[in-house]
Amino acid sequence: MSSAAALPETMTAITVSTPGGPEVLVPGPRPVPKPAPGEVLVKVEAAGINRPDVMQRKGLYPPPPGASDIPGLEIAGTVVALGEGATTYKIGDKVCALVTGGGYAEYCPANEATTLPVPDGLSMAEAAAMPETVFTVWSNVFDRGGLKPGETLLVHGGASGIGTTAIQLAKAFGARVVVTAGSDEKCAACVNLGADLAVNYKTQDFVTEVKSFTAGKGANVILDMIGGPYIQKNYEAAAQDGRIVQIAFQQGAKAEVDFMRLMLKRLTHTGSTLRSRPVAEKAAIAAAIVAHVLPLIAAGKYRPVMDETFPLADAAGAHARMDASAHVGKIVLVVG
């Protein structure tokens, strides 16, 4: 391992004292980790908050084998040490990274293959808000969903970090975008961001609205993080040869579904997780992001949408904000 300077032996990190509410996120000392072969050690300046962190806090989403028990799946900061064989970045580089855990801390190792340069013009908080959502949207909307120019994308949870990213990327690549959100204010924010139609799911039926918007044809690709009763409704809202991509089950992973629509419409219902995928698969996604997404930032067509920032020590406050579901865009922890 090579290091720019002597690193401290301990750091402040957020741990889950016991499964539960936001109050179980407690700051405390931890040893500064050492980067493994192929990794860089990042002095964290900001870390994004994501739904999987909430699930981990509740004891419902344990870290995969070998991953840190410290929450946090995306970071931005400065490279301060290099693991054996790490050659892509040098000490002092500003980077953001997708990690399997450990982000809620002052230092975090990251595999070079899932580390990206911080794009010009982005703050470190914005850079930390990018990896998890961009990796998720690219791999699910474009790789698995195969969204094409001129098609219609339906995004559930349009005001979330993933939703706001999906709106911008889909529009940048020539698709039409319909979103669902839980308030008129969130719907307005989505439209301002570029959504062609925003449906308040509390007062409107999204199946009816999607059918009306598409002249009865339905959505070509549906990105769903809700599950439960939405599974059947997605089958109804989908177009012929539609692709439904499942990335979470906020309302449950079990549902009673009439699969006849799957056959009659020739639907594809797929899904994926990100955290447990092999590094090689994540590396391929990272390469696509460098080629197709980072240029959109320079062109002014994509920028992470920010909600609020919280200091690292107040991770509980950040999670309370997430639990309240009042946010539009990303909630980020600022370190230091």
Side-chain angles (χ1 to χ4, degrees), residues 10 18 43 47 74 143 213 256 277 303 318 322:
T10 62
T18 185
K43 188 178 191 301
E74 57 185 350
D143 283 350
F213 177 75
E256 186 171 322
R277 292 176 75 171
R303 192 178 191 101
M322 175 74 82

Side-chain angles (χ1 to χ4, degrees), residues 223-310:
L223 183 65
D224 183 29
M225 59 188 79
I226 309 299
Y230 274 42
I231 296 174
Q232 177 67 50
K233 296 186 76 174
N234 287 336
Y235 285 13
E236 295 169 10
Q240 292 287 118
D241 297 303
R243 290 86 72 195
I244 300 157
V245 190
Q246 206 75 45
I247 57 170
F249 293 100
Q250 292 180 17
Q251 292 189 16
K254 296 181 180 180
E256 186 171 322
V257 181
D258 179 359
F259 285 105
M260 186 61 72
R261 291 184 188 275
L262 189 80
M263 294 168 55
L264 296 178
K265 289 186 173 183
R266 302 183 300 277
L267 301 178
T268 299
H269 190 171
T270 183
S272 72
T273 59
L274 186 58
R275 190 178 192 180
S276 59
R277 292 176 75 171
V279 169
E281 293 183 15
K282 294 179 186 177
I285 300 169
I289 290 167
V290 170
H292 301 292
V293 178
L294 296 192
L296 298 177
I297 297 174
K301 294 182 177 180
Y302 164 64
R303 192 178 191 101
V305 175
M306 305 298 289
D307 183 73
E308 283 191 36
T309 60
F310 291 79

Side-chain angles (χ1 to χ4, degrees), residues 57-99:
R57 186 199 79 210
K58 293 179 177 179
L60 302 174
Y61 189 42
S68 171
D69 65 326
I70 299 168
L73 302 177
E74 57 185 350
I75 57 169
T78 304
V79 175
V80 293
L82 305 176
E84 183 181 348
T87 58
T88 305
Y89 297 96
K90 62 183 184 298
I91 290 170
D93 283 350
K94 300 291 187 181
V95 298
C96 56
L98 181 76
V99 295

Side-chain angles (χ1 to χ4, degrees), residues 73-276:
L73 302 177
E74 57 185 350
I75 57 169
T78 304
V79 175
V80 293
L82 305 176
E84 183 181 348
T87 58
T88 305
Y89 297 96
K90 62 183 184 298
I91 290 170
D93 283 350
K94 300 291 187 181
V95 298
C96 56
L98 181 76
V99 295
T100 56
Y104 293 10
E106 292 180 308
Y107 293 87
C108 181
N111 194 292
E112 279 204 316
T114 58
T115 299
L116 305 170
V118 172
D120 290 341
L122 290 193
S123 68
M124 286 307 234
E126 288 174 314
M130 189 175 67
E132 173 75 12
T133 51
V134 171
F135 273 74
T136 297
V137 170
W138 187 265
S139 62
N140 288 288
V141 172
F142 296 95
D143 283 350
R144 301 193 75 79
L147 183 68
K148 301 177 185 65
E151 291 191 325
T152 298
L153 169 69
L154 169 61
V155 181
H156 294 303
S160 67
I162 285 172
T164 54
T165 297
I167 292 169
Q168 294 179 79
L169 296 191
K171 292 299 293 182
F173 287 101
R176 301 196 303 169
V177 180
V178 180
V179 303
T180 63
S183 71
D184 291 343
E185 291 77 16
K186 286 186 176 183
C187 285
C190 292
V191 171
N192 288 338
L193 201 57
D196 297 281
L197 176 67
V199 180
N200 185 337
Y201 64 80
K202 293 182 179 177
T203 59
Q204 299 170 286
D205 176 62
F206 75 79
V207 175
T208 301
E209 298 299 325
V210 168
K211 288 292 188 67
S212 175
F213 177 75
T214 58
K217 293 180 180 179
N220 304 102
V221 178
I222 300 175
L223 183 65
D224 183 29
M225 59 188 79
I226 309 299
Y230 274 42
I231 296 174
Q232 177 67 50
K233 296 186 76 174
N234 287 336
Y235 285 13
E236 295 169 10
Q240 292 287 118
D241 297 303
R243 290 86 72 195
I244 300 157
V245 190
Q246 206 75 45
I247 57 170
F249 293 100
Q250 292 180 17
Q251 292 189 16
K254 296 181 180 180
E256 186 171 322
V257 181
D258 179 359
F259 285 105
M260 186 61 72
R261 291 184 188 275
L262 189 80
M263 294 168 55
L264 296 178
K265 289 186 173 183
R266 302 183 300 277
L267 301 178
T268 299
H269 190 171
T270 183
S272 72
T273 59
L274 186 58
R275 190 178 192 180
S276 59

